[in-house]
Each structure stands twice: as structure tokens, then as C-alpha cells.
Amino acid sequence: MRRNRSPLAQAQSGFTLIEALLAATLLTLALLLGMALILQQRRIVRRLDAQRAALHEIEATLDALRVGVLPLMEQRVDLHNAGDPAGLTLWITVEPAGYPPGLWRISLRAVWSVQGEMKSDRVDTMIWRPPS
């Protein structure tokens, strides 16, 4: 026996207009968020490159202090490259650590700017030099 269904009771296939608009809105939002990440990538890479260069200079300066190329005294070292208008400045702080004689407390602070924003990093260590 066959039953006739009314047109309202028949199952509908496909999406409603509201569902399609909601899906399009969510897709647009996801694409916009993805574009924001892509646009920020250059800034993030520049910041990380500048931080890596600063840490490299801190390590090189510490090595120069350890072997005696740089004197153990408070000083400011400007490291400006022609291709880097922001430059990099190192502040070296030296103070005696006490016992044993010849032990020095060293603090190196690097300051640089990336796209007008000032950044800094600091390394504290100790160096021993035989007393003269």
C-alpha cells in the first residue's frame, strides 16, 4: 500500500540559506586569521634575526673578555653595521665577586631596535683572571 506524503513532510536535501551563510562567514573568518599570521611572519622573522645577532655578539664579547682582548672594565660597545640602521649597543658591567681574588661578576646587556621597538637581552656570568 502506498502512502502519499504531503510536500511539507518530504525530506529536504541540501543546505538552507542560513547554513550556507554561516559556513561562508566561518570560512572568511578563518581565512582572515590565516592572512594575519602570514602578514606578521616578516616582523617575527626580523625580530628573531635581530635577537640571534645580539646573542651572537654577546657570546663573542664574553669570549673577548675571557681571553683578555677586552679589558675588564665597565664600558659601552656600539656595534652599528652599515646595513642595520637600528644597530646594537652592548653595555658591559664589571664588579669584583669577592673570594677568590681575581673572580669578576660580568653583566652584558644588549640593546637594539626592531622596526622602532626597543628590545634588550641580558647575560650574567663570572670570569676569573689571575690577580696581577
Side-chain angles (χ1 to χ4, degrees):
M1 193 192 242
R2 221 179 219 191
R3 291 185 183 169
N4 288 334
R5 292 185 177 171
S6 67
L8 294 175
Q10 290 179 355
Q12 295 180 359
S13 63
F15 296 107
T16 64
L17 181 60
I18 303 259
E19 290 170 337
L21 286 175
L22 183 62
T25 303
L26 290 175
L27 180 64
T28 303
L29 228 145
L31 289 174
L32 286 175
L33 289 174
M35 284 299 294
L37 288 175
I38 289 172
L39 293 175
Q40 286 183 3
Q41 179 187 8
R42 279 186 175 168
R43 186 175 58 87
I44 292 169
V45 167
R46 280 191 199 119
R47 182 176 50 85
L48 290 175
D49 282 344
Q51 184 177 12
R52 180 194 46 78
L55 289 175
H56 176 72
E57 289 299 331
I58 286 174
E59 288 176 7
T61 304
L62 279 175
D63 287 341
L65 285 168
R66 284 187 184 109
V67 298
V69 175
L70 285 175
L72 280 177
M73 58 183 258
E74 291 195 19
Q75 54 188 310
R76 174 184 170 175
V77 181
D78 289 320
L79 303 167
H80 295 282
N81 296 332
D84 184 17
L88 173 67
T89 303
L90 292 178
W91 299 88
I92 303 171
T93 306
V94 179
E95 59 186 39
Y99 188 78
L103 188 63
W104 299 88
R105 197 173 283 124
I106 309 293
S107 176
L108 261 85
R109 193 176 128 221
V111 179
W112 69 94
S113 77
V114 178
Q115 295 179 337
E117 186 179 348
M118 294 301 292
K119 299 285 184 183
S120 70
D121 208 345
R122 181 178 166 164
V123 173
D124 296 317
T125 188
M126 294 182 129
I127 293 177
W128 184 78
R129 286 219 187 131
S132 29

